[in-house]
Amino acid sequence: MGYNLKEIFEYFEADGTFLKGEPYGSGHIHDTFRIETVEKEKDDYILQRLNNKIFKNIPELQQNIERVTVHLRNKISSIRGSDIKRECLRLIPTRDGLTWIVDNEGNFWRMYIFISRHHSYNVVDSPDKAFEGGKAIGRFQAMLSDMPGGPLFETIPLFHNIEKRLQTFNSKIMDNPVGRVDSVSKEIGQILNRADEMKIILRLGNEGKIPLRITHNDTKFNNILLDENDKALCVIDLDTVMPGYIHYDFGDAIRTAANTATEDEDDLSKVKMDINLFKAYAEGYLSETVETLNDVEKEYLAFAPRLITYTIAVRFLTDFIDGDNYFKIHHELHNLQRARAQLRLVMSMEEQYQDMKSIIRKLT
Ligand code: ADP
Ligand code: GN1
Ligand code: MG
């Protein structure tokens, strides 16, 4: 779509002159553009057209991100040697003093400073990188644990609630809106077979055994930027930061950090959970959090990757059955391919579950 990126950019109080804007990254939700400025010494920017079909209340969403980034920035800037522009997202205000604009067509836009010299990975190829990712998320949770001002808005209600996700899944199967249900009966069976055991985290929460904390809720590895030496740099994509269980962040990160293949790998024989990457991520994560987690949280950490990988499989298959209305897709069967790869990953985790548990036990 031909947006006038220069005109939109100029509504924001940016330092620098628009040179050009191009699509950037591989996110599935927003339209993201990198804006380069004419002056080489000035920042570049990330300009995003927000998906307001998914995020229904943009002012609340933006208020959450402002609160979170202000809190993180205060903490990070008090650390000696920190590089605040690269270690924390910074929203650029508009000329009206807001952090987003609505254009003439009703599109919502926001802008961040572009985090320079970062590395971003869709697949992780070394334990050192996985460790750094774990550290980044552990530190993120730890720094937000004392954020003042009451709970954040729930930007997507019941986001990781597997009971709700399964209800939606079942009702889309009943509706069969685009006639795809018959073609995926095998995958539907694989999901329904596992449905009961997946409710354990919700049950522990309802029983008060695990607390709601401020969690990120979208910790796939390309939302964790590493620096030029592949050390933890910055956690991005803060749209779903809200109350959650730590298992959601741990699980989603393992789903991507310890998968030997891409999230949508077509050749299922390549899809496996690498136990060494699992261990390294867990080490990094627990190096920042082990003191604050309670015993039940620790006991169920090894289960978390199974839950979240399963949840994403349910969501991809739901979207396929629904005719692809949620995730961006790049070809006709993309959501099905993603769902199959995630189900295969769940099976690989099931095979290695005893090892995962014993690694966590040793680290805690
Ligand atoms: P989505 O919700 O669509 O995934 P993200 O906010 O994650 O949107 O942005 C998409 C991609 O853009 C990220 O995966 C990352 O590669 C890049 N990106 C986002 N914000 C920044 C930033 N401030 N600096 C550098 N790259 C960024
Ligand atoms: C989406 O926004 P992005 O691309 O980082 C999705 C996540 C899924 C992920 C699967 C708001 O993440 O929940 O796990 O795709 N984000 C939202 O790749 O739904
Ligand atoms: Mg993202």
Side-chain angles (χ1 to χ4, degrees), residues 26 28 122-123 220 222 255-256 259-271 309 312 316 327-331 333-345:
S26 51
H28 296 343
N122 291 326
V123 177
K220 80 172 167 187
N222 66 18
R255 176 180 83 79
T256 45
N259 186 355
T260 53
T262 55
E263 172 182 78
D264 60 353
E265 177 58 59
D266 191 31
D267 177 354
L268 296 184
S269 70
K270 292 189 182 153
V271 178
T309 309
I312 303 295
F316 284 146
F327 297 103
K328 284 180 190 244
I329 52 164
H330 303 297
H331 55 85
L333 301 182
H334 205 168
N335 274 317
L336 175 58
Q337 190 173 313
R338 289 167 172 158
R340 285 182 173 148
Q342 296 299 298
L343 284 168
R344 174 54 72 95
L345 187 59

Side-chain angles (χ1 to χ4, degrees), residues 24-25 27-30 32 46 48 89 112-115 118 222-223 236-237:
Y24 192 81
H28 296 343
I29 304 297
H30 305 300
T32 299
I46 283 283
Q48 291 183 308
L89 279 180
Y112 290 117
I113 292 183
F114 181 85
I115 295 172
H118 72 262
N222 66 18
N223 289 330
I236 62 165
D237 200 345

Side-chain angles (χ1 to χ4, degrees), residues 59-84:
E60 285 187 2
L61 168 75
Q62 290 297 97
Q63 201 180 313
N64 272 6
I65 297 182
E66 278 176 72
R67 282 182 63 195
V68 166
T69 52
V70 165
H71 184 75
L72 292 174
R73 192 169 312 117
N74 285 337
K75 294 233 159 167
I76 294 169
S77 46
S78 69
I79 301 170
R80 197 191 308 218
S82 62
D83 182 354
I84 195 61

Side-chain angles (χ1 to χ4, degrees), residues 33-161:
F33 302 89
R34 176 180 180 166
I35 306 297
E36 286 183 45
T37 51
V38 172
E39 303 83 355
K40 282 295 148 243
E41 72 287 2
K42 295 203 170 157
D43 292 315
D44 286 347
Y45 295 89
I46 283 283
L47 183 58
Q48 291 183 308
R49 187 180 78 97
L50 300 176
N51 186 326
N52 64 329
K53 267 179 27 198
I54 291 179
F55 294 99
K56 298 203 185 326
N57 191 327
I58 301 291
E60 285 187 2
L61 168 75
Q62 290 297 97
Q63 201 180 313
N64 272 6
I65 297 182
E66 278 176 72
R67 282 182 63 195
V68 166
T69 52
V70 165
H71 184 75
L72 292 174
R73 192 169 312 117
N74 285 337
K75 294 233 159 167
I76 294 169
S77 46
S78 69
I79 301 170
R80 197 191 308 218
S82 62
D83 182 354
I84 195 61
K85 263 194 193 167
R86 296 171 69 226
E87 292 179 36
C88 181
L89 279 180
R90 185 187 281 270
L91 283 167
I92 306 298
T94 66
R95 292 195 220 139
D96 306 326
L98 298 172
T99 61
W100 74 93
I101 61 151
V102 187
D103 70 15
N104 295 336
E105 275 94 57
N107 297 304
F108 288 76
W109 296 85
R110 77 169 165 219
M111 200 159 81
Y112 290 117
I113 292 183
F114 181 85
I115 295 172
S116 60
R117 292 171 286 123
H118 72 262
H119 290 169
S120 160
Y121 298 97
N122 291 326
V123 177
V124 175
D125 62 4
S126 78
D128 287 346
K129 293 185 189 114
F131 178 90
E132 290 297 319
K135 231 171 86 169
I137 295 299
R139 204 164 55 194
F140 181 86
Q141 287 181 351
M143 285 194 292
L144 289 176
S145 64
D146 61 352
M147 190 178 76
L152 291 162
F153 292 112
E154 215 180 338
T155 54
I156 302 179
L158 304 175
F159 187 55
H160 284 306
N161 185 308

